[in-house]
């Protein structure tokens, strides 16, 4: 055990001294495998935009909607809410299943099973003859997407060193934005079609991704952290060698595995269990709260309006083609925003970006609300509202959107990471369901008809998120998982994480510092 601690100390020192360039040179294979697995999230981002945008397409409305008094066709607000929520319901089931199955079968096998299911479930969506079948297809499709939500960010956080952690985990958000961008481009290209293929082709395109990703997942190495938790250190070292290059003579896989073993044993001393119940016990209760609310804030800061951007623009009075053009531009800006977040995270901490980003979004939501007071018949106000959503998207995808993925993977304990992420994403999905119910009513002219005034509603919740994040969200930048374990065990205040010095190899973890037990 003494030798393991020594090797773990050496590996920790090497990680702290590793530059970004050295990390890229040493872990090029880990970067490649992580990027490949994260690409599965493209499917989620694609499908999210798809359903929201279909509500603005005449062929889809004629097939599944009801005839209105003015001769047009439209889905009722209740069916819009149902279809928008269906995938989130499926994701809840998929996420809980992932937390149980992935720890037994491993990340690779679980991903392969989910990708196989996707291929089958797309058939249901493509051939759906009516709304109930379409609803069932969305629920079924949500199950494997729930698997991707957990395992992509978990795998990314476990195959790379500290210096690369924020980039690979936030790449998951980039994939989500890429899915949105691809969906918007496809829909823009089909906006002039008046037949059933206007909505069937977008469904069919989803068959493009699963098979190449399956081939990559089959060839990818398993997470070394998962292998350590299974008591297979030799296989963990072999996986690490497959994740790294051989150009660095100073790298020692056994030392890095020793650091993983030490962190695993450290967490077992703090809390031995690995069940969902253990996420709510002792120190892990605070970690679960932080991770869950960090992800929930994405749905409480008004970001749900972006998923309905095309529908929002249309109801705000913009012509159909202009609405799709702005939607396409919105996701392109989101793509650039996520890339910009990598620059920001290099110089600023995760906490700074997250709290500051929420504050900026709060201001933008208020401005959107005030602009909407000019009325939907005011062309200038309609374009201003759309433009403000583009600005909102840039700041969201430069801060809150991508940084969230880094935070949830870093602030959960390694032994409970998959289950904590499951709980967090499911809370996010619960709020997505709430959003899926109320946002159609906010925007639908046959229901509440709030239009841009919805900005006032979401500004209130966004302000609450700013206040919570300021007092409760810690800074994990530059910390190994072992160091984060000690900081949480000692009850260090969220605002003092950055400057507090810790030694995960010293004894006396039970001696807490003189701080508030709640971490305030």
């Amino acid at each position: 055990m003494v030798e393991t601690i020594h090797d773990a100390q050496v590996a920790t020192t090497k990680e702290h001294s590793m530059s970004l360039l050295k990390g890229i040179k040493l872990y090029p294979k880990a970067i490649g495998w992580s990027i490949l697995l994260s690409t599965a999230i493209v499917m989620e981002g694609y499908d999210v935009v798809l359903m929201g945008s279909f509500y603005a397409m005449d062929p889809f409305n004629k097939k599944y909607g009801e005839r209105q008094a003015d001769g047009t066709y439209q889905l009722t607000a209740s069916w819009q809410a149902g279809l928008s929520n269906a995938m989130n319901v499926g994701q809840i089931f998929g996420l809980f299943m992932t937390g149980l199955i992935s720890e037994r079968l491993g990340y690779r096998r679980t991903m392969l099973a989910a990708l196989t299911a996707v291929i089958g479930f797309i058939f249901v969506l493509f051939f759906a003859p009516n709304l109930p079948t379409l609803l069932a297809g969305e629920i079924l499709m949500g199950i494997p997407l729930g698997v991707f939500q957990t395992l992509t960010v978990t795998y990314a956080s476990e195959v790379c060193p500290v210096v690369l952690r924020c980039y690979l985990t936030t790449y998951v958000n980039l994939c989500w934005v890429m899915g949105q961008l691809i969906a918007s481009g496809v829909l823009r290209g089909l906006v002039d079609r008046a037949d059933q293929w206007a909505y069937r082709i977008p469904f069919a395109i989803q068959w493009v991704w699963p098979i190449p990703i399956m081939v990559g997942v089959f060839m990818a190495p398993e997470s070394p952290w998962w292998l350590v938790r299974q008591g297979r250190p030799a296989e963990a070292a072999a996986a690490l060698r497959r994740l790294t290059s051989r150009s660095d003579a100073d790298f020692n896989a056994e030392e890095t595995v020793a650091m993983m073993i030490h962190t695993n044993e450290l967490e077992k001393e703090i809390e031995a269990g690995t069940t969902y119940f253990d996420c709510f016990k002792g120190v892990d209760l605070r970690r679960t709260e932080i991770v869950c609310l960090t992800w929930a804030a994405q749905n409480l800061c008004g970001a749900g309006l972006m998923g309905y951007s095309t529908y929002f623009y249309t109801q705000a009075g913009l012509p159909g083609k202009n609405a799709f053009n702005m939607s396409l531009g919105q996701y392109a800006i989101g793509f650039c925003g996520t890339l910009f977040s990598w620059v920001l995270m290099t110089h600023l901490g995760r906490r700074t970006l997250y709290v500051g980003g929420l504050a900026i979004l709060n201001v933008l939501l208020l401005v959107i609300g005030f602009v909407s007071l000019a009325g939907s018949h005011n062309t200038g106000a309609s374009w201003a509202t759309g433009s403000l959503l583009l600005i909102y998207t840039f700041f969201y995808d430069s801060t809150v959107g991508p940084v969230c993925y880094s935070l949830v993977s870093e602030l959960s304990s390694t032994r409970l990471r998959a289950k904590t992420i499951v709980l967090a994403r499911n809370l996010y999905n619960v709020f997505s369901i709430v959003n899926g119910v109320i946002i159609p009513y906010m925007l639908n002219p046959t229901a509440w008809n709030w239009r841009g005034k919805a900005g006032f509603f979401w500004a209130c919740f966004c302000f609450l998120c700013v206040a919570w994040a300021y007092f409760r969200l810690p800074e994990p930048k530059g910390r190994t998982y072992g160091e984060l374990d000690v900081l949480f065990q000692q009850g260090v205040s969220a605002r003092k994480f950055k400057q507090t010095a810790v030694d995960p190899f010293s004894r006396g973890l039970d001696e807490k510092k003189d701080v508030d037990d709640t971490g305030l």
Side-chain angles (χ1 to χ4, degrees):
M1 187 62 187
V2 174
E3 183 180 352
T4 299
I5 293 176
H6 176 266
D7 288 346
Q9 286 178 306
V10 173
T12 300
T13 301
K14 288 180 180 179
E15 287 224 358
H16 278 305
S17 62
M18 187 180 295
S19 65
L20 176 60
L21 182 59
K22 184 176 181 180
I24 293 173
K25 289 181 177 179
L26 182 57
Y27 284 85
K29 298 176 185 176
I31 294 171
W33 291 122
S34 177
I35 287 174
L36 178 66
L37 266 69
S38 296
T39 305
I41 290 294
V42 170
M43 288 183 278
E44 184 198 357
Y46 182 93
D47 207 275
V48 167
V49 170
L50 218 57
M51 194 53 64
S53 298
F54 279 162
Y55 303 150
M57 295 184 70
D58 289 336
F60 182 85
N61 287 328
K62 286 181 181 179
K63 171 67 176 178
Y64 298 106
E66 296 179 1
R67 187 180 178 88
Q68 304 297 306
D70 60 358
T72 62
Y73 288 84
Q74 182 125 19
L75 268 69
T76 63
S78 58
W79 268 113
Q80 286 186 21
L83 290 173
S84 300
N85 288 331
M87 183 173 292
N88 292 320
V89 172
Q91 287 174 3
I92 289 174
F93 288 109
L95 282 159
F96 277 125
M97 291 168 56
T98 304
L100 299 172
I101 296 173
S102 63
E103 278 302 307
R104 294 190 179 186
L105 300 182
Y107 300 166
R108 291 173 59 256
R109 291 180 182 177
T110 308
M111 280 285 291
L112 287 170
L115 288 163
T116 303
V118 164
I119 296 174
F121 295 153
I122 294 173
F123 280 97
V124 180
L125 295 172
F126 183 80
F127 292 106
N130 50 44
L131 283 171
T133 307
L134 192 62
L135 182 73
E138 286 287 297
I139 293 174
L140 291 172
M141 190 71 173
I143 295 174
L145 293 185
V147 176
F148 303 151
Q149 288 173 351
T150 304
L151 294 188
T152 51
V153 68
T154 304
Y155 187 86
S157 68
E158 294 188 356
V159 298
C160 63
V162 172
V163 70
L164 295 178
R165 215 162 52 195
C166 66
Y167 303 104
L168 292 184
T169 52
T170 54
Y171 175 76
V172 175
N173 183 77
L174 187 64
C175 289
W176 202 74
V177 175
M178 283 193 290
Q180 294 176 317
L181 183 59
I182 293 170
S184 295
V186 170
L187 292 166
R188 177 61 184 88
L190 298 170
V191 71
D192 291 325
R193 292 194 70 109
D195 56 10
Q196 62 176 336
W197 295 106
Y199 57 88
R200 290 198 189 277
I201 288 175
F203 280 137
I205 288 176
Q206 293 179 98
W207 274 309
V208 170
W209 291 290
I211 293 179
I213 296 176
M214 286 176 71
V215 174
V217 172
F218 180 78
M219 299 174 63
E222 185 56 85
S223 162
W225 282 93
W226 181 82
L227 292 168
V228 165
R229 291 195 295 273
Q230 302 302 310
R232 295 149 62 179
E235 293 179 48
L240 265 175
R241 294 188 189 96
R242 290 190 59 196
L243 291 166
T244 55
S245 66
R246 299 181 181 180
S247 60
D248 191 343
D250 191 43
F251 175 74
N252 187 315
E254 281 71 21
E255 290 176 349
T256 304
V257 170
M259 180 180 65
M260 296 177 182
I261 293 172
H262 178 266
T263 301
N264 188 57
E265 294 301 318
L266 182 67
E267 292 186 0
K268 286 167 70 175
E269 288 181 21
I270 297 171
E271 181 57 60
T274 57
T275 66
Y276 279 116
F277 182 71
D278 291 303
C279 293
F280 300 96
K281 293 169 62 179
V283 176
D284 287 308
L285 174 61
R286 181 188 174 195
R287 302 180 81 155
T288 301
E289 173 229 324
I290 292 171
V291 172
C292 286
L293 292 183
T294 297
W295 221 329
Q298 283 194 330
N299 260 328
L300 294 173
C301 69
L305 290 175
M306 294 190 299
Y308 292 84
S309 58
T310 302
Y311 184 76
F312 181 86
Y313 297 145
T314 302
Q315 295 303 320
L318 297 178
K321 285 189 177 181
N322 286 339
F324 276 102
N325 287 339
M326 289 196 71
S327 178
L328 189 60
Q330 178 184 25
Y331 297 121
I333 289 173
F335 183 91
C336 296
T338 303
L339 295 178
F340 184 55
S341 73
W342 292 351
V343 178
L344 295 176
M345 279 190 289
T346 303
H347 303 285
L348 303 174
R350 277 63 136 174
R351 169 186 161 85
T352 302
L353 280 178
Y354 198 83
V355 178
L358 284 172
I360 293 172
L361 298 182
N362 187 52
V363 173
L364 288 172
L365 287 168
L366 288 172
V367 175
I368 288 172
F370 283 115
V371 168
S372 70
L373 297 178
S376 61
H377 298 295
N378 187 314
T379 305
S382 296
W383 279 103
T385 301
S387 300
L388 284 167
L389 273 179
L390 297 183
I391 297 171
Y392 180 100
T393 299
F394 177 78
F395 280 105
Y396 176 86
D397 283 307
S398 298
T399 57
V400 177
V403 175
C404 171
Y405 287 90
S406 181
L407 289 168
V408 298
S409 63
E410 292 178 303
L411 295 175
S412 52
S413 68
T414 60
R415 290 174 58 78
L416 292 170
R417 178 173 294 127
K419 290 182 173 63
T420 307
I421 290 176
V422 164
L423 292 171
R425 188 66 187 190
N426 267 339
L427 182 61
Y428 169 93
N429 285 335
V430 167
F431 282 113
S432 291
I433 291 173
V434 175
N435 287 358
V437 170
I438 65 176
I439 291 180
Y441 281 92
M442 289 178 179
L443 306 182
N444 198 307
T446 63
W448 301 345
N449 197 26
W450 287 6
R451 303 177 190 261
K453 297 181 185 69
F456 291 126
F457 178 87
W458 293 113
C460 296
F461 283 97
C462 190
F463 176 78
L464 294 176
C465 292
V466 173
W468 172 84
Y470 177 78
F471 289 105
R472 299 293 291 169
L473 185 65
E475 176 57 72
K477 181 183 178 182
R479 300 288 193 179
T480 65
Y481 292 129
E483 289 170 336
L484 289 170
D485 289 337
V486 176
L487 286 166
F488 277 109
Q489 175 66 8
Q490 292 180 343
V492 175
S493 166
R495 286 165 288 168
K496 296 180 180 178
F497 257 53
K498 184 177 180 179
Q499 61 264 37
T500 301
V502 293
D503 181 6
F505 304 101
S506 65
R507 297 300 177 183
L509 284 175
D510 293 331
E511 298 176 7
K512 296 191 177 184
K513 293 188 177 181
D514 186 19
V515 294
D516 193 315
D517 289 339
T518 62
L520 291 172

